[in-house]
Every structure is written in C-alpha cells, then in structure tokens.
Amino acid sequence: MKSHSTTDRFTGRHCAVSAETFESDGEDKRIMRVVHRRDGTDRTLTEHGKWMDSFGSRMRGLVRLGLRDDCALVFDFDSVADRRASTLMTPLSLDIVWTKHGLVTRVVRLKPWTGVGRGEGDAVFEFPVGLVKDVKPGDELVVR
C-alpha cells in the first residue's frame, strides 16, 4: 500500500492519502475511499473509487462498474464549469454526482444507452445505481 501526504482539496486540511497500486498492466491505479458527509456524519459510499485520467481508464472503469456494485469513477477538473455525463453506448444505468469544491450540486440517474445529464462542478462521480440514494445537493463528498 502506497501513501503520501496531501491537502484535502475540499476542507484545506493536511491529510495522509493511501492508495492501492496494481501493477498488472504497468499502470498506477490509485484506489480511494469516497465518503458522504451530512450534518457532521460520515458514511463511506465505497472503498473502491478510481481516478479517471484518460479515455482508456474510463473504459476500464466502466467495466469495473458493470462488475461491482460498490465502486466509483472520479473525474477531477482544475476549475468549476458546466460538465456533461452520459451513458451513450453504455449498457449500464449510472448515478452521477457533480460537486463544486466538495459540495454536491446535482445528483441524477442516467438510463442505459441514452442517458445524458449536465451539472456544474469541478468533479464528477459515476456510481452504480443505488449507491448514492441518500446523497442530495448541499451534502459533501470527500475523497480519501
């Protein structure tokens, strides 16, 4: 297990980040925990969040979403903007969460093959259906 120190981009606090590394295809695949926070209470949504940083990682991530019901794909951007998500050409329904500085701005469920959604944020999370059923705008998502 690799770990390093960083600043939590949502709270500004210094923290240690742990990430599992798999070397099967020569690519670093950091796996992190995604936590839902509301009213001071934390609830782990998944221990299997994966940063998406390329088209190939997204394709592999969609396979993971199809095989597991406890994972997430995390798309992190440098700035807040209008972001789109879709299930075009994807045989899965997905729950999508947009966040702005860690605060949830929108939650939608996309149908397989034809779903399209938009939201404002600097991060977009894709989850298997049902994993974020209690997440609402104004809540916080924290990546650890």
Side-chain angles (χ1 to χ4, degrees):
M1 181 87 80
K2 290 183 180 180
S3 70
H4 65 278
S5 293
T6 189
T7 300
D8 183 318
R9 63 182 295 259
F10 301 120
T11 65
R13 290 183 286 201
H14 189 71
C15 61
V17 176
S18 298
E20 296 177 30
T21 302
F22 301 91
E23 304 294 342
S24 61
D25 61 5
E27 188 179 321
D28 179 24
K29 297 184 180 121
R30 296 178 297 150
I31 308 297
M32 74 290 221
R33 186 164 43 137
V34 179
V35 177
H36 173 220
R37 182 177 291 156
R38 182 189 299 150
D39 299 327
T41 303
D42 288 1
R43 178 176 67 96
T44 298
L45 295 174
T46 181
E47 300 266 348
H48 304 283
K50 168 75 173 81
W51 292 116
M52 298 291 104
D53 55 9
S54 69
F55 180 75
S57 66
R58 185 167 194 282
M59 292 301 101
R60 288 186 296 277
L62 286 172
V63 170
R64 176 179 282 198
L65 284 175
L67 297 174
R68 300 185 68 125
D69 60 357
D70 66 342
C71 61
L73 307 184
V74 183
F75 300 84
D76 191 34
F77 302 95
D78 292 331
S79 62
V80 174
D82 184 50
R83 309 278 177 198
R84 295 181 203 172
S86 78
T87 55
L88 299 177
M89 307 291 290
T90 305
L92 305 170
S93 288
L94 297 175
D95 285 344
I96 311 295
V97 179
W98 286 265
T99 63
K100 180 177 173 181
H101 308 297
L103 294 178
V104 175
T105 59
R106 185 152 193 240
V107 181
V108 299
R109 177 164 294 162
L110 301 181
K111 295 180 181 181
W113 301 110
T114 61
V116 177
R118 294 173 72 151
E120 183 181 45
D122 56 6
V124 179
F125 297 77
E126 295 184 357
F127 294 94
V129 168
L131 203 59
V132 296
K133 64 182 175 227
D134 296 326
V135 176
K136 297 180 171 99
D139 292 351
E140 194 175 3
L141 287 190
V142 179
V143 176
R144 297 183 180 158

